[in-house]
Amino acid sequence: MKYRVVQWSTGNVGRRALRNIIARPELDLVGVWVSSAEKAGKDAGELAGLDRETGVLATQDAQALLALKPDCIVHTAMADDRLMEAVEDLKTFLRAGINVVSSSPVFLQFPYGTLPDEAIAPIVEAAEEGGASLWVNGIDPGWANDWLPLLLSSGSERIDRVICSEIMDYSTYDNPKVVFDIMGFGSKLEDLPMLLQPGILTLAWGSVIRQLAAALDIELDSVTQHFERLAATDPIRIGSHTIEAGTAAALRFQVHGIRDGREILTLEHVTRLHPDLAPDWPQPAGSGCYRVEIKGEPDYLLDLQLYSNGDHAEAGVVGTAARLVSTIPAVVRARPGLLTAMDLPLTTGRGLVS
């Protein structure tokens, strides 16, 4: 059986998702939505950076794509600065009876305990009305801190603490809006960006903590957040931007699941724009890694390095797209509603060996 798929947006993740859809024998690309008039009318193969045409032309006509009634939409549109609009888009797809795999909003990967019930209910109702499923995921939040730690946990006799970390140099990450506007690199240390406003970290990555707690059957007393920022000591050139000395160039944040006064579950990000910054903070394996630590019996330490064309940041984008596309058959077959990683079976990259 082939699954008919529409790709929704062709930014960093969307381009890679498009390549992945085209490559998979079980998927049939039937449409592409783009946000800019410059991309409208272009062949999907060109937008994906391939040297062949597919015959599928990009469009800005959302209603025409919904009328195609695809089995699934791969939604990778930027949502960090338009959360409510993105949620409304997802609800529209679901009401139309179309299953969705999406990279955002990230808090929907496991909203229970993070969002109030009245915020979750309209999404579930839209899904049930259309008889469709929604699954939000990626790498982080995603398999680096859901399936990866849970897989390791199955070999534990006793678990005292779980720590999931992203330790990365973001100097090659090609997303200025995220790097500068949302994460606040290059800004004064006293000027808090969107990401570090009160409650945002626990909204986005608190969902990771809540999902781990649910999967491991751990009752938490609270979820807390903490962050540190350090300034550049010398100017750093990032693409067309210059990070001036004295402005933010390193960020470490942690979201903790607390029980009985102890940090039981931790999600941590250590982000630098130069490897020499913050030498006393955790260091990556290689130039960047995802790390899972389980303290208990036995202790586990897993460092996962990833590279695409030698670059870890690009690999993260590729992996995010592939994670979504890989799950399309499972999401289409799943029950209607809002799905989490725990609702889906193990999925693999099928038919991709060259």
Side-chain angles (χ1 to χ4, degrees):
M1 174 182 178
K2 278 207 168 191
Y3 299 91
R4 301 171 68 251
V5 179
V6 164
Q7 172 58 40
W8 207 272
S9 88
T10 56
N12 286 346
V13 176
R15 281 196 306 273
R16 300 306 305 214
L18 198 51
R19 291 172 69 97
N20 217 282
I21 294 166
I22 293 168
R24 288 178 180 262
E26 77 275 21
L27 305 180
D28 181 18
L29 179 71
V30 297
V32 180
W33 181 86
V34 290
S35 60
S36 68
E38 292 77 13
K39 292 182 179 180
K42 291 187 176 182
D43 189 90
E46 179 183 353
L47 293 174
L50 301 174
D51 58 2
R52 63 185 178 89
E53 294 188 349
T54 64
V56 178
L57 303 182
T59 181
Q60 291 187 285
D61 188 343
Q63 290 305 313
L65 292 175
L66 297 184
L68 293 173
K69 297 191 178 298
D71 296 301
C72 190
I73 285 175
V74 180
H75 174 264
T76 57
M78 181 72 173
D80 291 350
D81 58 348
R82 49 182 297 278
L83 294 175
M84 293 305 101
E85 294 94 329
V87 169
E88 289 304 313
D89 288 343
L90 297 177
K91 287 160 60 178
T92 297
F93 303 154
L94 294 169
R95 286 196 198 96
I98 303 170
N99 302 286
V100 186
V101 295
S102 179
S103 59
S104 57
V106 296
F107 52 73
L108 289 180
Q109 64 96 28
F110 192 89
Y112 308 105
T114 301
L115 292 180
D117 291 345
E118 56 267 27
I120 302 171
I123 301 170
V124 175
E125 289 167 4
E128 292 177 345
E129 178 183 336
S133 303
L134 168 63
W135 192 66
V136 178
N137 212 264
I139 281 188
D140 184 351
W143 61 257
N145 36 55
D146 55 44
W147 282 2
L148 207 57
L150 293 178
L151 176 63
L152 287 183
S153 75
S154 66
S156 296
E157 179 181 292
R158 187 191 75 250
I159 297 175
D160 299 324
R161 188 180 183 190
V162 179
I163 305 169
C164 300
S165 305
E166 178 190 271
I167 310 173
M168 295 282 184
D169 181 338
Y170 268 34
S171 61
T172 61
Y173 183 39
D174 183 22
N175 194 327
K177 179 175 284 292
V178 170
V179 173
F180 301 108
D181 298 341
I182 294 174
M183 300 186 75
F185 287 115
S187 66
K188 297 178 181 178
L189 293 181
E190 61 269 22
D191 295 338
L192 292 187
M194 172 186 168
L195 183 68
L196 302 180
Q197 295 297 318
I200 296 298
L201 292 176
T202 52
L203 174 64
W205 283 274
S207 60
V208 170
I209 297 299
R210 297 287 185 184
Q211 179 161 246
L212 288 175
L216 296 171
D217 196 23
I218 297 172
E219 290 192 16
L220 298 176
D221 299 325
S222 63
V223 175
T224 65
Q225 67 178 55
H226 171 77
F227 67 85
E228 303 174 67
R229 302 169 87 200
L230 293 179
T233 54
D234 298 294
I236 302 172
R237 189 72 175 172
I238 305 294
S240 61
H241 293 75
T242 297
I243 307 298
E244 301 293 349
T247 65
L251 168 65
R252 181 183 187 183
F253 71 74
Q254 297 167 319
V255 180
H256 300 294
I258 308 296
R259 188 181 71 178
D260 297 331
R262 291 197 304 120
E263 296 167 355
I264 302 295
L265 305 172
T266 294
L267 183 287
E268 177 174 54
H269 274 216
V270 179
T271 309
R272 300 174 172 90
L273 296 186
H274 193 281
D276 292 342
L277 293 169
D280 56 329
W281 289 1
Q283 296 292 332
S287 57
C289 73
Y290 289 98
R291 177 171 295 162
V292 177
E293 298 175 78
I294 297 182
K295 309 289 188 181
E297 182 55 42
D299 289 336
Y300 286 97
L301 173 60
L302 172 65
D303 279 337
L304 176 68
Q305 299 181 58
L306 59 169
Y307 299 98
S308 179
N309 297 317
D311 183 67
H312 56 278
E314 183 179 349
V317 172
V318 176
T320 294
R323 166 77 155 164
L324 294 175
V325 176
S326 294
T327 59
I328 289 173
V331 170
V332 172
R333 294 193 297 264
R335 61 166 176 80
L338 179 57
L339 306 175
T340 74
M342 293 186 292
D343 294 313
L344 297 182
L346 176 68
T347 55
T348 63
R350 299 174 56 204
L352 298 179
V353 177
S354 60

